[in-house]
Amino acid sequence: MLVPFIRRIGPTVSILLAGVALAVLICGTPASLPLRFEDAARESGLNFVLDNSATPLKHQIETMIGGVAVLDYNHDGRPDIYFVNGARLPDMDKSEPKFWNRLYRNDGRGKFTDVTDQAGVRGVGYGMGVAVGDYDNDGYPDIYIAGANRNQLLHNNRDGTFSDVTEKAGVAGLLRSSGKKPLAVSAGWFDYNNDGLLDLFVVNYLDWSMDHEPPCYSNHIRAYCSPASYQGEPSMLFRNNGDGTFTDVSESSGISRYTGKGMGEAFADYDGDGYTDIFVANDTYRNFLFHNRRDGTFEEVGILAGIAYNENGKSIAGMGADFRDVDNDGRPDLFVTGMINDTFPLFRNSAEGFTDITSRAGLTHATLRLTGWSNGIFDLDNDGWKDLFTANAGILDNSREIDGTDYLQRNLVLRNEGGSRFEPVPISRHAAAHRGAAFADFDGDGKVDIVVSVLNGPAELLLNRSPNANHWLDIELEGTKSNRDGLGARIAVRTSSGTQYNHATTSVGYGCSSDKRVHFGLGTATRTTEIRVLWPSGRKQILNDIAADQVLHIREP
């Protein structure tokens, strides 16, 4: 394995960017140009408002919604945006326009058009999270919605419309042991058995129902209940049969043996054995790491691997998760968001397991007073080092009254300063009730942008306007023996500056799904020396001398 040696260039500087971002001065470490994002939602036509149908009764689900997905639903090469919405409470099946899920088509010229009605993707029920993947390998992305009272699978008809095939496919998400529908908050697509078909993982949260919900108070004020008020639920795994149907293998795979309070999930081959593993962020309960045993079963190894608890030996209110290599050593690391006073743990992957490096990496002070929901690990300044993003807001909408803490919070970037140290860069002009976040290059300029949902407020489209001339490469995979999206493929990109690593996944953050294209920042390099792709099928592919600043389509040989 090559040891990466990408370095920042230029003198150490300190730059103040008032109202948008703060550049950082790091003693002894050269600083990059500032990060800058512009919220272009209003002028782009992205007018979505996430409505939780808040009531004085403080139903548990009200504070938890906010899934966002990026997908090229019409196959025109431009990333579109899908938002999951709530529903009228207490009648969660009542369909009203203000509560519909929304699909916005990207015209490639800075505008988005609401095509929800034409596409047939309104959704039914109280939605939570969303997952995107091409489960039938027809080249068009399909949508799975995790919800409070129902889950839905929307099949892409390849003509700009979708059909609800939930019952036919067998993925309604009912527990086999009881036949009931648990509260599902997240889901994700991955190929756990490397058969070339995407399988579905559904993260269940609590044994919750509106009819049996306890009233909860904090300092004698009505509030949303702690998860301690409920029993947890096991997650679910559905194996793709290749004929449009799925088989619930939660029991036979070993997944249902573990009851947690799951919120976020992320996939990666953390031990390099060629099979994708599963991380689940649990709320006030130890995190799970399901190691793929390569025989259709999983072993939960969170404690042994060192990711079950934080560096203080405590479980946190885990929410969002991303599973990528942050230090360019070829091994995927874990970044998890939590509640105020939890900090947001960063677990470094080594040959001996994971180590919580939150404090030494500079994340403790930056995140201690924040509550993070969705998150992501992406190179936002294209310097060759992946940065950390968190969408932040309190849980209790009356937290100022209850305990004097802030409900509305700013989003945050933690800039990677060489793989072992991160510096906070606030990028929001105003605080808001942020929830979901998904990532893609929406305007085609080679810089990763971010779309963020806001509870009872307008969504944010954060276009990356960072002033640098760094180069980039987006890799779009097409599997042949592997799944069509290439999810699970591992990629190494070498330039004159060193080697960096990433893998294909759409499952990022909390209840969200990001662009399937794999992004690499190349710094000053105008060409790659070598690109290596290890496909889920086991096939290896090498491309030499590829120009930077393009979307590169790679088809499995």
Side-chain angles (χ1 to χ4, degrees):
M1 181 179 297
L2 294 174
V3 178
F5 56 94
I6 298 174
R7 293 290 184 263
R8 287 182 172 79
I9 61 172
T12 301
V13 295
S14 179
I15 302 175
L16 176 64
L17 185 60
V20 180
L22 294 177
V24 292
L25 177 62
I26 307 167
C27 182
T29 302
S32 299
L33 290 169
L35 282 165
R36 184 166 66 87
F37 288 81
E38 171 191 345
D39 184 0
R42 183 175 179 180
E43 52 267 37
S44 72
L46 204 66
N47 56 2
F48 177 77
V49 174
L50 178 63
D51 197 322
N52 68 346
S53 187
T55 71
L57 298 178
K58 301 291 184 186
H59 296 298
Q60 187 71 18
I61 57 176
E62 293 173 10
T63 192
M64 297 177 59
I65 62 173
V68 186
V70 174
L71 70 164
D72 182 6
Y73 85 98
N74 55 357
H75 212 280
D76 65 356
R78 296 185 288 264
D80 310 299
I81 300 173
Y82 186 70
F83 292 97
V84 173
N85 210 347
R88 175 69 65 191
L89 296 177
D91 184 5
M92 290 188 286
D93 285 325
K94 189 173 182 179
S95 180
E96 298 180 22
K98 68 177 294 187
F99 294 111
W100 290 344
N101 301 342
R102 298 284 178 180
L103 175 63
Y104 291 86
R105 185 185 64 227
N106 184 351
D107 72 357
R109 299 183 297 274
K111 298 294 183 182
F112 286 83
T113 301
D114 187 336
V115 294
T116 306
D117 284 344
Q118 303 95 299
V121 291
R122 295 176 180 175
V124 180
Y126 205 99
M128 290 286 177
V130 58
V132 171
D134 180 7
Y135 76 86
D136 56 354
N137 287 334
D138 65 355
Y140 285 74
D142 309 296
I143 303 172
Y144 188 80
I145 304 163
N149 59 327
R150 66 179 67 206
N151 298 347
Q152 291 176 271
L153 176 59
L154 302 179
H155 175 256
N156 193 323
N157 299 322
R158 299 186 295 174
D159 60 0
T161 69
F162 290 76
S163 297
D164 188 335
V165 296
T166 311
E167 298 302 325
K168 175 185 175 182
V171 290
L174 303 180
L175 294 174
R176 295 179 64 183
S177 58
S178 62
K180 69 178 181 178
K181 168 66 176 69
L183 172 54
V185 298
S186 291
W189 297 99
F190 76 126
D191 183 2
Y192 80 93
N193 52 4
N194 289 348
D195 65 352
L197 300 168
L198 289 181
D199 309 297
L200 178 64
F201 187 75
V202 179
V203 179
N204 294 321
Y205 184 48
L206 302 172
D207 181 6
W208 172 90
S209 75
M210 195 175 299
D211 297 331
H212 301 90
E213 189 173 30
C216 294
Y217 296 85
S218 181
N219 292 333
H220 307 290
I221 300 172
R222 189 66 179 260
Y224 295 111
C225 294
S226 161
S229 301
Y230 304 90
Q231 296 294 317
E233 294 282 17
S235 294
M236 306 179 75
L237 178 62
F238 295 91
R239 186 187 65 225
N240 191 335
N241 299 323
D243 59 0
T245 69
F246 293 76
T247 298
D248 185 346
V249 294
S250 306
E251 293 183 11
S252 60
S253 66
I255 294 295
S256 66
R257 291 177 53 196
Y258 298 92
T259 297
K261 298 179 180 181
M263 295 191 73
E265 89 292 325
F267 306 108
D269 178 8
Y270 78 90
D271 57 352
D273 66 357
Y275 283 73
T276 302
D277 310 294
I278 310 168
F279 173 80
V280 176
N282 282 308
D283 189 0
T284 66
Y285 192 75
R286 65 179 178 89
N287 297 320
F288 293 152
L289 180 60
F290 291 105
H291 175 248
N292 193 328
R293 300 176 66 180
R294 300 181 290 175
D295 60 0
T297 68
F298 290 82
E299 178 185 12
E300 203 289 297
V301 297
I303 294 177
L304 293 176
I307 57 84
Y309 305 101
N310 67 10
E311 58 189 343
N312 299 315
K314 296 181 179 180
S315 58
I316 69 166
M319 291 194 245
D322 201 0
F323 208 163
R324 299 180 196 266
D325 180 11
V326 300
D327 54 3
N328 289 342
D329 68 352
R331 292 181 287 263
D333 310 295
L334 266 168
F335 178 51
V336 187
T337 56
M339 190 175 168
I340 185 172
N341 295 324
D342 280 338
T343 74
F344 303 166
L346 177 62
F347 297 96
R348 181 181 181 273
N349 187 354
S350 69
E352 291 76 36
F354 290 84
T355 302
D356 188 336
I357 62 169
T358 307
S359 293
R360 75 181 77 165
L363 273 62
T364 299
H365 179 73
T367 64
L368 183 64
R369 302 304 297 168
L370 297 173
T371 292
W373 294 82
S374 202
N375 63 333
I377 303 174
F378 289 86
D379 187 351
L380 299 175
D381 53 6
N382 286 340
D383 67 348
W385 296 98
K386 299 181 192 69
D387 310 295
L388 312 178
F389 172 87
T390 63
N392 306 314
I395 296 172
L396 305 178
D397 55 2
N398 53 355
S399 60
R400 175 60 62 183
E401 181 184 5
I402 289 175
D403 57 17
T405 59
D406 293 327
Y407 174 62
L408 306 181
Q409 298 178 13
R410 295 184 178 187
N411 296 323
L412 178 68
V413 168
L414 294 153
R415 184 181 221 146
N416 192 335
E417 298 294 332
S420 61
R421 187 77 183 175
F422 294 80
E423 291 295 327
V425 183
I427 62 167
S428 295
R429 292 191 178 188
H430 62 277
H434 302 109
R435 287 298 187 267
F439 303 79
D441 178 7
F442 292 109
D443 54 3
D445 66 353
K447 296 173 182 176
V448 175
D449 310 306
I450 311 167
V451 57
V452 184
S453 64
V454 175
L455 196 55
N456 298 311
E460 299 173 356
L461 179 62
L462 305 179
L463 297 183
N464 192 335
R465 304 301 194 201
S466 302
N468 64 63
N470 289 334
H471 299 280
W472 56 277
L473 183 69
D474 279 352
I475 296 178
E476 184 176 54
L477 300 173
E478 181 185 344
T480 54
K481 185 177 180 181
S482 302
N483 66 86
R484 179 69 175 262
D485 287 340
L487 301 189
R490 291 180 287 163
I491 305 173
V493 172
R494 180 161 59 91
T495 68
S496 57
S497 300
T499 304
Q500 53 179 299
Y501 306 85
N502 209 334
H503 64 278
T505 182
T506 60
S507 296
V508 178
Y510 169 66
C512 292
S513 188
S514 290
D515 193 354
K516 68 177 182 178
R517 292 178 292 188
V518 187
H519 181 81
F520 290 87
L522 302 181
T524 59
T526 59
R527 308 190 70 84
T528 66
T529 305
E530 181 183 78
I531 299 173
R532 286 175 284 159
V533 182
L534 178 59
W535 294 89
S537 65
R539 293 177 175 175
K540 299 177 182 179
Q541 192 170 4
I542 298 177
L543 294 85
N544 296 309
D545 192 27
I546 300 297
D549 303 329
Q550 64 167 311
V551 177
L552 177 67
H553 185 91
I554 301 179
R555 191 173 189 268
E556 184 178 15

